[in-house]
Amino acid sequence: MSTLQEAPQDRIFTVPNILSLARLLGVPLFLWLVLIEADWWALGLLVFAGLSDWLDGKLARAFNQTSKLGMVLDPAADRLYILATLVGLTIRDIIPLWLVLALVAREVSILPIAPIVRRLGYGGTLPVHFIGKAATMCLLYSFPLLLLGDHGGAAGTAARVVGWAFAVWGTALYWWAAVLYWVQTRQLVLAGRGAPPPASGPGGASGAAGPGAAEGPGAEPPAGGQKGAETSR
């Protein structure tokens, strides 16, 4: 399977983007529902967020509605839901502080990647790895289960055990994805250093780009040879 991705368009009003925006608008409502302990409403909102996350990706690929805005909105919505859930469950003493610190530290660890990629002349973001999407899905499954686990009974105990399994695996995969992003960034840096300058044609104009020519500003970064990379929106 080819890891090359189509260049995203500058479209704004697409169905996938509207779904991503709806998920973003639901973040503060979800946090409020958790804090007032309206758990079933909060779980319903999380189910909607998860379904819309799956659906907007499917629609973007099926109808060729990939966009630069979508590449920003989609992961932003996922991260904000994770952050809101961490805040709410920590305040309610459902999850320990070490889990929050582990996930926040991971986000901080990849912050320098975006300016490095832009400095290399690429206008987009790195493709989303399958590992990163799997980590996000594990965490998004774990939080509602941990929320259910805060209630008594056999169902609550089972939800707590399964929820912690998802949380541990999701955290490990989250850090694994961060390592993959840094490996890909290093490959781009090395490729940028080794790329020859464009040959000058008659009159000082640049000639045709050869096979080893670097892409100009605004280009999308390649998938970096990660076979499991998923086309990002």
PDB file of all heavy atoms in Angstrom, residues 144-168:
ATOM      1  N   PRO A 144     -14.741   6.656  29.424  1.00  0.00           N
ATOM      2  CA  PRO A 144     -16.124   6.356  29.816  1.00  0.00           C
ATOM      3  C   PRO A 144     -16.237   5.111  30.690  1.00  0.00           C
ATOM      4  O   PRO A 144     -17.090   5.044  31.576  1.00  0.00           O
ATOM      5  CB  PRO A 144     -16.846   6.167  28.468  1.00  0.00           C
ATOM      6  CG  PRO A 144     -15.779   5.945  27.471  1.00  0.00           C
ATOM      7  CD  PRO A 144     -14.594   6.696  27.957  1.00  0.00           C
ATOM      8  N   LEU A 145     -15.351   4.122  30.441  1.00  0.00           N
ATOM      9  CA  LEU A 145     -15.377   2.922  31.281  1.00  0.00           C
ATOM     10  C   LEU A 145     -14.957   3.242  32.711  1.00  0.00           C
ATOM     11  O   LEU A 145     -15.542   2.733  33.669  1.00  0.00           O
ATOM     12  CB  LEU A 145     -14.462   1.852  30.678  1.00  0.00           C
ATOM     13  CG  LEU A 145     -14.979   1.196  29.395  1.00  0.00           C
ATOM     14  CD1 LEU A 145     -13.899   0.330  28.758  1.00  0.00           C
ATOM     15  CD2 LEU A 145     -16.228   0.370  29.676  1.00  0.00           C
ATOM     16  N   LEU A 146     -13.942   4.105  32.861  1.00  0.00           N
ATOM     17  CA  LEU A 146     -13.523   4.511  34.200  1.00  0.00           C
ATOM     18  C   LEU A 146     -14.611   5.333  34.882  1.00  0.00           C
ATOM     19  O   LEU A 146     -14.788   5.255  36.105  1.00  0.00           O
ATOM     20  CB  LEU A 146     -12.221   5.302  34.127  1.00  0.00           C
ATOM     21  CG  LEU A 146     -10.981   4.503  33.717  1.00  0.00           C
ATOM     22  CD1 LEU A 146      -9.776   5.425  33.538  1.00  0.00           C
ATOM     23  CD2 LEU A 146     -10.682   3.424  34.748  1.00  0.00           C
ATOM     24  N   LEU A 147     -15.333   6.107  34.086  1.00  0.00           N
ATOM     25  CA  LEU A 147     -16.451   6.878  34.646  1.00  0.00           C
ATOM     26  C   LEU A 147     -17.541   5.933  35.142  1.00  0.00           C
ATOM     27  O   LEU A 147     -18.104   6.128  36.227  1.00  0.00           O
ATOM     28  CB  LEU A 147     -16.995   7.830  33.580  1.00  0.00           C
ATOM     29  CG  LEU A 147     -17.990   8.900  34.036  1.00  0.00           C
ATOM     30  CD1 LEU A 147     -17.365   9.810  35.090  1.00  0.00           C
ATOM     31  CD2 LEU A 147     -18.440   9.731  32.834  1.00  0.00           C
ATOM     32  N   LEU A 148     -17.820   4.882  34.359  1.00  0.00           N
ATOM     33  CA  LEU A 148     -18.792   3.886  34.799  1.00  0.00           C
ATOM     34  C   LEU A 148     -18.272   3.126  36.015  1.00  0.00           C
ATOM     35  O   LEU A 148     -19.044   2.739  36.908  1.00  0.00           O
ATOM     36  CB  LEU A 148     -19.071   2.896  33.661  1.00  0.00           C
ATOM     37  CG  LEU A 148     -20.005   3.350  32.555  1.00  0.00           C
ATOM     38  CD1 LEU A 148     -20.056   2.297  31.460  1.00  0.00           C
ATOM     39  CD2 LEU A 148     -21.399   3.635  33.097  1.00  0.00           C
ATOM     40  N   GLY A 149     -16.957   2.924  36.056  1.00  0.00           N
ATOM     41  CA  GLY A 149     -16.366   2.200  37.167  1.00  0.00           C
ATOM     42  C   GLY A 149     -16.452   2.925  38.488  1.00  0.00           C
ATOM     43  O   GLY A 149     -16.207   2.319  39.543  1.00  0.00           O
ATOM     44  N   ASP A 150     -16.797   4.208  38.449  1.00  0.00           N
ATOM     45  CA  ASP A 150     -16.963   4.968  39.682  1.00  0.00           C
ATOM     46  C   ASP A 150     -18.259   4.607  40.389  1.00  0.00           C
ATOM     47  O   ASP A 150     -18.475   4.994  41.535  1.00  0.00           O
ATOM     48  CB  ASP A 150     -16.936   6.470  39.356  1.00  0.00           C
ATOM     49  CG  ASP A 150     -16.828   7.327  40.612  1.00  0.00           C
ATOM     50  OD1 ASP A 150     -15.987   6.998  41.474  1.00  0.00           O
ATOM     51  OD2 ASP A 150     -17.562   8.326  40.732  1.00  0.00           O
ATOM     52  N   HIS A 151     -19.137   3.843  39.701  1.00  0.00           N
ATOM     53  CA  HIS A 151     -20.398   3.404  40.293  1.00  0.00           C
ATOM     54  C   HIS A 151     -20.235   1.994  40.843  1.00  0.00           C
ATOM     55  O   HIS A 151     -19.350   1.248  40.440  1.00  0.00           O
ATOM     56  CB  HIS A 151     -21.509   3.459  39.244  1.00  0.00           C
ATOM     57  CG  HIS A 151     -21.748   4.842  38.712  1.00  0.00           C
ATOM     58  ND1 HIS A 151     -22.659   5.712  39.265  1.00  0.00           N
ATOM     59  CD2 HIS A 151     -21.158   5.527  37.697  1.00  0.00           C
ATOM     60  CE1 HIS A 151     -22.642   6.862  38.604  1.00  0.00           C
ATOM     61  NE2 HIS A 151     -21.737   6.778  37.647  1.00  0.00           N
ATOM     62  N   GLY A 152     -21.081   1.633  41.761  1.00  0.00           N
ATOM     63  CA  GLY A 152     -20.968   0.337  42.427  1.00  0.00           C
ATOM     64  C   GLY A 152     -21.506  -0.808  41.591  1.00  0.00           C
ATOM     65  O   GLY A 152     -21.992  -0.637  40.472  1.00  0.00           O
ATOM     66  N   GLY A 153     -21.427  -2.024  42.154  1.00  0.00           N
ATOM     67  CA  GLY A 153     -21.963  -3.202  41.499  1.00  0.00           C
ATOM     68  C   GLY A 153     -20.932  -3.933  40.655  1.00  0.00           C
ATOM     69  O   GLY A 153     -19.822  -3.449  40.418  1.00  0.00           O
ATOM     70  N   ALA A 154     -21.326  -5.127  40.195  1.00  0.00           N
ATOM     71  CA  ALA A 154     -20.435  -5.948  39.377  1.00  0.00           C
ATOM     72  C   ALA A 154     -20.111  -5.273  38.054  1.00  0.00           C
ATOM     73  O   ALA A 154     -18.978  -5.351  37.553  1.00  0.00           O
ATOM     74  CB  ALA A 154     -21.077  -7.317  39.127  1.00  0.00           C
ATOM     75  N   ALA A 155     -21.105  -4.590  37.463  1.00  0.00           N
ATOM     76  CA  ALA A 155     -20.870  -3.903  36.190  1.00  0.00           C
ATOM     77  C   ALA A 155     -19.844  -2.793  36.357  1.00  0.00           C
ATOM     78  O   ALA A 155     -18.971  -2.594  35.499  1.00  0.00           O
ATOM     79  CB  ALA A 155     -22.182  -3.334  35.656  1.00  0.00           C
ATOM     80  N   GLY A 156     -19.923  -2.067  37.477  1.00  0.00           N
ATOM     81  CA  GLY A 156     -18.960  -1.003  37.732  1.00  0.00           C
ATOM     82  C   GLY A 156     -17.546  -1.548  37.916  1.00  0.00           C
ATOM     83  O   GLY A 156     -16.578  -0.973  37.417  1.00  0.00           O
ATOM     84  N   THR A 157     -17.439  -2.686  38.610  1.00  0.00           N
ATOM     85  CA  THR A 157     -16.116  -3.298  38.817  1.00  0.00           C
ATOM     86  C   THR A 157     -15.519  -3.753  37.495  1.00  0.00           C
ATOM     87  O   THR A 157     -14.334  -3.522  37.211  1.00  0.00           O
ATOM     88  CB  THR A 157     -16.228  -4.497  39.774  1.00  0.00           C
ATOM     89  OG1 THR A 157     -16.756  -4.052  41.028  1.00  0.00           O
ATOM     90  CG2 THR A 157     -14.864  -5.138  39.989  1.00  0.00           C
ATOM     91  N   ALA A 158     -16.333  -4.397  36.647  1.00  0.00           N
ATOM     92  CA  ALA A 158     -15.852  -4.860  35.345  1.00  0.00           C
ATOM     93  C   ALA A 158     -15.435  -3.681  34.470  1.00  0.00           C
ATOM     94  O   ALA A 158     -14.402  -3.724  33.783  1.00  0.00           O
ATOM     95  CB  ALA A 158     -16.938  -5.686  34.649  1.00  0.00           C
ATOM     96  N   ALA A 159     -16.237  -2.620  34.495  1.00  0.00           N
ATOM     97  CA  ALA A 159     -15.907  -1.434  33.698  1.00  0.00           C
ATOM     98  C   ALA A 159     -14.597  -0.815  34.158  1.00  0.00           C
ATOM     99  O   ALA A 159     -13.788  -0.356  33.338  1.00  0.00           O
ATOM    100  CB  ALA A 159     -17.039  -0.418  33.789  1.00  0.00           C
ATOM    101  N   ARG A 160     -14.366  -0.823  35.477  1.00  0.00           N
ATOM    102  CA  ARG A 160     -13.131  -0.238  36.016  1.00  0.00           C
ATOM    103  C   ARG A 160     -11.903  -1.038  35.570  1.00  0.00           C
ATOM    104  O   ARG A 160     -10.880  -0.464  35.189  1.00  0.00           O
ATOM    105  CB  ARG A 160     -13.220  -0.165  37.535  1.00  0.00           C
ATOM    106  CG  ARG A 160     -12.039   0.543  38.178  1.00  0.00           C
ATOM    107  CD  ARG A 160     -12.361   0.978  39.597  1.00  0.00           C
ATOM    108  NE  ARG A 160     -12.806  -0.121  40.434  1.00  0.00           N
ATOM    109  CZ  ARG A 160     -14.070  -0.312  40.852  1.00  0.00           C
ATOM    110  NH1 ARG A 160     -15.013   0.551  40.518  1.00  0.00           N
ATOM    111  NH2 ARG A 160     -14.386  -1.348  41.610  1.00  0.00           N
ATOM    112  N   VAL A 161     -12.004  -2.369  35.595  1.00  0.00           N
ATOM    113  CA  VAL A 161     -10.875  -3.220  35.195  1.00  0.00           C
ATOM    114  C   VAL A 161     -10.563  -3.037  33.710  1.00  0.00           C
ATOM    115  O   VAL A 161      -9.402  -2.827  33.315  1.00  0.00           O
ATOM    116  CB  VAL A 161     -11.188  -4.700  35.499  1.00  0.00           C
ATOM    117  CG1 VAL A 161     -10.124  -5.604  34.895  1.00  0.00           C
ATOM    118  CG2 VAL A 161     -11.284  -4.925  37.000  1.00  0.00           C
ATOM    119  N   VAL A 162     -11.591  -3.107  32.867  1.00  0.00           N
ATOM    120  CA  VAL A 162     -11.384  -2.958  31.416  1.00  0.00           C
ATOM    121  C   VAL A 162     -10.922  -1.538  31.093  1.00  0.00           C
ATOM    122  O   VAL A 162     -10.053  -1.326  30.243  1.00  0.00           O
ATOM    123  CB  VAL A 162     -12.677  -3.302  30.645  1.00  0.00           C
ATOM    124  CG1 VAL A 162     -12.486  -3.075  29.152  1.00  0.00           C
ATOM    125  CG2 VAL A 162     -13.076  -4.752  30.905  1.00  0.00           C
ATOM    126  N   GLY A 163     -11.483  -0.564  31.807  1.00  0.00           N
ATOM    127  CA  GLY A 163     -11.094   0.822  31.568  1.00  0.00           C
ATOM    128  C   GLY A 163      -9.629   1.067  31.866  1.00  0.00           C
ATOM    129  O   GLY A 163      -8.933   1.766  31.115  1.00  0.00           O
ATOM    130  N   TRP A 164      -9.126   0.487  32.942  1.00  0.00           N
ATOM    131  CA  TRP A 164      -7.712   0.651  33.276  1.00  0.00           C
ATOM    132  C   TRP A 164      -6.811  -0.061  32.270  1.00  0.00           C
ATOM    133  O   TRP A 164      -5.708   0.404  31.965  1.00  0.00           O
ATOM    134  CB  TRP A 164      -7.431   0.156  34.689  1.00  0.00           C
ATOM    135  CG  TRP A 164      -7.588   1.248  35.694  1.00  0.00           C
ATOM    136  CD1 TRP A 164      -8.542   1.367  36.657  1.00  0.00           C
ATOM    137  CD2 TRP A 164      -6.759   2.410  35.814  1.00  0.00           C
ATOM    138  NE1 TRP A 164      -8.378   2.523  37.365  1.00  0.00           N
ATOM    139  CE2 TRP A 164      -7.289   3.192  36.883  1.00  0.00           C
ATOM    140  CE3 TRP A 164      -5.649   2.878  35.133  1.00  0.00           C
ATOM    141  CZ2 TRP A 164      -6.726   4.396  37.265  1.00  0.00           C
ATOM    142  CZ3 TRP A 164      -5.082   4.092  35.512  1.00  0.00           C
ATOM    143  CH2 TRP A 164      -5.619   4.822  36.565  1.00  0.00           C
ATOM    144  N   ALA A 165      -7.279  -1.191  31.730  1.00  0.00           N
ATOM    145  CA  ALA A 165      -6.506  -1.872  30.691  1.00  0.00           C
ATOM    146  C   ALA A 165      -6.360  -0.974  29.458  1.00  0.00           C
ATOM    147  O   ALA A 165      -5.267  -0.821  28.893  1.00  0.00           O
ATOM    148  CB  ALA A 165      -7.178  -3.194  30.316  1.00  0.00           C
ATOM    149  N   PHE A 166      -7.460  -0.363  29.042  1.00  0.00           N
ATOM    150  CA  PHE A 166      -7.413   0.560  27.910  1.00  0.00           C
ATOM    151  C   PHE A 166      -6.530   1.770  28.223  1.00  0.00           C
ATOM    152  O   PHE A 166      -5.794   2.259  27.360  1.00  0.00           O
ATOM    153  CB  PHE A 166      -8.825   1.032  27.541  1.00  0.00           C
ATOM    154  CG  PHE A 166      -9.543   0.123  26.585  1.00  0.00           C
ATOM    155  CD1 PHE A 166     -10.727  -0.488  26.958  1.00  0.00           C
ATOM    156  CD2 PHE A 166      -9.041  -0.112  25.320  1.00  0.00           C
ATOM    157  CE1 PHE A 166     -11.408  -1.335  26.074  1.00  0.00           C
ATOM    158  CE2 PHE A 166      -9.707  -0.949  24.432  1.00  0.00           C
ATOM    159  CZ  PHE A 166     -10.895  -1.563  24.806  1.00  0.00           C
ATOM    160  N   ALA A 167      -6.619   2.272  29.451  1.00  0.00           N
ATOM    161  CA  ALA A 167      -5.846   3.460  29.819  1.00  0.00           C
ATOM    162  C   ALA A 167      -4.342   3.189  29.763  1.00  0.00           C
ATOM    163  O   ALA A 167      -3.563   4.004  29.250  1.00  0.00           O
ATOM    164  CB  ALA A 167      -6.249   3.936  31.215  1.00  0.00           C
ATOM    165  N   VAL A 168      -3.922   2.041  30.287  1.00  0.00           N
ATOM    166  CA  VAL A 168      -2.492   1.706  30.295  1.00  0.00           C
ATOM    167  C   VAL A 168      -1.984   1.491  28.873  1.00  0.00           C
ATOM    168  O   VAL A 168      -0.935   2.018  28.481  1.00  0.00           O
ATOM    169  CB  VAL A 168      -2.241   0.461  31.169  1.00  0.00           C
ATOM    170  CG1 VAL A 168      -0.799  -0.022  31.011  1.00  0.00           C
ATOM    171  CG2 VAL A 168      -2.532   0.783  32.629  1.00  0.00           C
TER     172      VAL A 168
END
